[in-house]
Amino acid sequence: MGFGSIRRAQDAYHVGYGRYAADFDQLGFAVQGGSRQSANAIRGVRYSYTMTQPWGDESYYCVASGDIDDDAFLDIAVLEAGRP
């Protein structure tokens, strides 16, 4: 899982349903090498992902966080679409 696959899945969901998915379950993501914390949170091998819709179903906000380069600093990336 990565931002590319999340973005592609959200784009396809939006085309099919006219709105963005609210969580990973709606996108059909299976957890491989990690664990599902909830429908909106997945702990992956390198990153932990959370997804929300703070501006309604015409948007989504996904945050990935983790220490991917072993430097003791948290690395954070944000993916969003449809923000007003």
Side-chain angles (χ1 to χ4, degrees):
M1 172 195 290
F3 273 165
S5 59
I6 293 169
R7 182 180 37 80
R8 285 187 297 276
Q10 281 285 25
D11 289 347
Y13 193 94
H14 192 268
V15 167
Y17 295 98
R19 65 184 190 280
Y20 289 107
D23 56 50
F24 295 109
D25 288 345
Q26 288 180 336
L27 293 176
F29 275 99
V31 178
Q32 298 174 350
S35 62
R36 181 175 303 276
Q37 307 298 303
S38 70
N40 296 82
I42 293 175
R43 181 176 305 268
V45 175
R46 299 185 67 123
Y47 277 110
S48 292
Y49 298 88
T50 58
M51 188 178 329
T52 60
Q53 286 186 312
W55 308 289
D57 64 3
E58 281 298 312
S59 66
Y60 69 93
Y61 191 82
C62 185
V63 176
S65 61
D67 181 14
I68 64 167
D69 52 5
D70 296 322
D71 64 358
F73 293 98
L74 189 62
D75 301 300
I76 299 173
V78 175
L79 175 66
E80 64 179 307
R83 184 176 179 182

